[in-house]
Amino acid sequence: MTLGEVYALAGIGLCGLGLFGWLANSNLLRRIIAFNITGTGTFLLLVGLAPPPPAGGAADPVPQALVLTGIVVAVAATALALALARRWYQVSGRVGLPEDEAE
Amino acid sequence: MSVGGPVPMIDPTPLMVALPLIWAVSSLILSRPWRDRLLWLWLAAMIGAVAWLWRTVAAAGALEHQVGGWDAPLGILLRADGPAVAFIVVSALVATGTAVFASRYLRDEPGDRHFWPLFGFLWGGLNAIWLAGDLFNLYVGLELVSLSAVGLTALAGSAEALAAALRYLLAALMGSLAWLLGVALLYAGHGTLDAALLASTLQPGATAAIALALMTAGLALKTALFPLHGWLPPAHGGALTPVSALLSALVVMASFYVLARVWLQLGPALGAGAPLAGAMQLLGWLGAGALCWGSWQALRQRRLKLVVAWSTVAQIGYFFLLFPLVVGQSADAAELGWQGSLLMVLGHALAKAAMFLAAGNLALAIGSDDVDALAGVSHFLPRSLFSFGLAGVSLMGLPPSAGFTGKWLLMQSALASGQWWWLVVLVLGSVLSVAYIFRIFQKSFIEGPERDWFVHPPLRQDLAALVLALASIALGLGAMPLLALAGLDAAR
């Protein structure tokens, strides 16, 4: 098993962990963190599955570019989610969405 | 631009994304009197650029533009083919109508300042999706649209709006990641992100199947396909009126458009067989479920905007009939199914925007969003009710609207491919939509003794709703130029 495959498997594991956290938690902060874990897993998979650089050559730049863009998008989305969750807490005094907390 | 020249030197494609982004930034900086003046100038420029693109593509065929001269895969490829132009034209109509409505409506609302930048980002993101030539730029476009749509949902500022925005954001983010995961798998297997190139090199197998399943699940969540629709009604029903119109008409269409193009391009490469046909049937049946459940919920809602929002859940069901009717079917059936779906989707965008704007006008006029409070409104607000009714005609699929022509073509396609059960679904869906739309009319024609005052909505708002409703009817009458431009061959 190559190092890339180890990364890819770890990425899949992180994705599963994140998805579980996203579904199982009602606390908004936990769900936002779960989203970030899933995102990290996806990026790890992207880089891990990239073909290894040929001897003496440069690595394929596309996966790196994709992951960088993906990280920027994830940071922006996390910022928006945190801002909304904070405002929701101020307005309602709750840390989860109504229908999740009722369960 | 020289007539008959090979490729025009200046091409309008990048303007579709650049102009909205310029507006988004400048509307953030400018304040009231100057922003209003610039709005009209900008809308005129957008309409001009869209008309230019349409004429160019209709005359000379699809355009390709490499932003900044950078080659794919690191550069950004914009591909303006027939279907892309059809979606650009319809989203320009809806966005312009909504902007005219909002320019008056938002004067009295707290969200005024932040609506316009988000509106610009949303329109730019939508155009980026219609034009995207590769899978990763689709991801960026989808995220741009989702983030601005969530911001717009939260503009109303109430606790309900915030909860709806959060629920929407969490669903949209997971949907995007599922898409990205699928893209990662496809890239690992094939070393390209170009949709057209992938279509020719895709190797059928477990990796491709898992990748497409992930991408489909993510986009189904973002499109609010039954049973993943839970986030949609509160978000669309609780937002400001112009926001509801944009979300229901355009944003839902965006993720569906991506899904449809992915399957049209990559589906055949997976190899025809039982698994593909089964997956397509499943998508169709989920659509049928959406149609029944959405219509039933629309019939039960007490608030007018929630009726319209649930009607979106139901109409999304029609969109998904595309998959069993087009992918893997004979050429004739597929062409009919594609044309029918195109009319259903584009007609829904125009009709639903008109319906939300008209519902907003009605609610403004009677000071309440309650369906029961509509009693007697037919005496006082014939114009608003007329727009609502015209939009309803298209959603119910009565002739001569786009909804009628679209359903007619879908039925022809179902007959041509021997799948009679979709005929039953189409008829059942029409009957249910008649039920929930006529319920609104029935209420508005009841004599209401207790209410004797109405506020007349501003003329500009009534006209915006009316023009969009008329456009959804006109699309049914004048569908040919659009269908000729955006044939199935162009979509593949």
Side-chain angles (χ1 to χ4, degrees), chain B residues 168-209:
Chain B
Y168 179 16
L169 179 61
L170 288 171
L173 289 179
M174 267 310 173
S176 302
L177 279 185
W179 164 265
L180 191 61
L181 208 53
V183 171
L185 289 176
L186 280 185
Y187 186 79
H190 304 86
T192 178
L193 292 165
D194 185 89
L197 204 58
L198 262 178
S200 56
T201 57
L202 192 72
Q203 295 144 359
T207 318

Side-chain angles (χ1 to χ4, degrees), chain A residues 22 38 49 60 62 66 88 99, chain B residues 136 159 167 170 174 187-188:
Chain A
W22 186 74
T38 315
L49 286 182
D60 181 4
V62 174
L66 300 191
W88 165 248
E99 73 278 2
Chain B
F136 190 74
R167 199 177 296 119
L170 288 171
M174 267 310 173
Y187 186 79

Side-chain angles (χ1 to χ4, degrees), chain B residues 28 42 63 65 68 71 82 92 105 120 123 127 157 275 307 323 326 344 348 357 372 414 423 443 459 481:
Chain B
L28 197 65
W42 171 67
L63 290 175
H65 182 92
D71 263 336
Y105 177 88
W123 196 351
N127 281 346
V307 173
F323 298 102
V326 175
M344 290 303 288
H348 171 260
L357 296 184
D372 289 329
L423 283 181
K443 297 279 187 204
L459 181 65

Side-chain angles (χ1 to χ4, degrees), chain A residues 11-46:
Chain A
I12 292 172
L14 282 176
C15 282
L17 209 61
L19 186 64
F20 173 76
W22 186 74
L23 290 172
N25 282 298
S26 65
N27 186 309
L28 282 168
L29 201 53
R30 282 169 189 263
R31 296 189 75 184
I32 294 168
I33 293 171
F35 155 71
N36 275 279
I37 290 174
T38 315
T40 309
T42 311
F43 302 146
L44 205 54
L45 186 82
L46 248 170

Side-chain angles (χ1 to χ4, degrees), chain B residues 5-61:
Chain B
V7 180
M9 284 307 288
I10 315 164
D11 93 58
T13 322
L15 290 180
M16 297 299 119
V17 184
L19 280 177
L21 294 185
I22 291 172
W23 164 252
V25 176
S26 46
S27 66
L28 197 65
I29 302 168
L30 295 174
S31 53
R32 188 28 93 29
W34 284 102
R35 193 182 57 210
D36 282 0
R37 279 167 217 164
L38 188 66
L39 172 67
W40 303 118
L41 188 69
W42 171 67
L43 278 178
M46 275 307 290
I47 293 167
V50 168
W52 178 18
L53 180 72
W54 188 1
R55 285 202 48 180
T56 313
V57 173

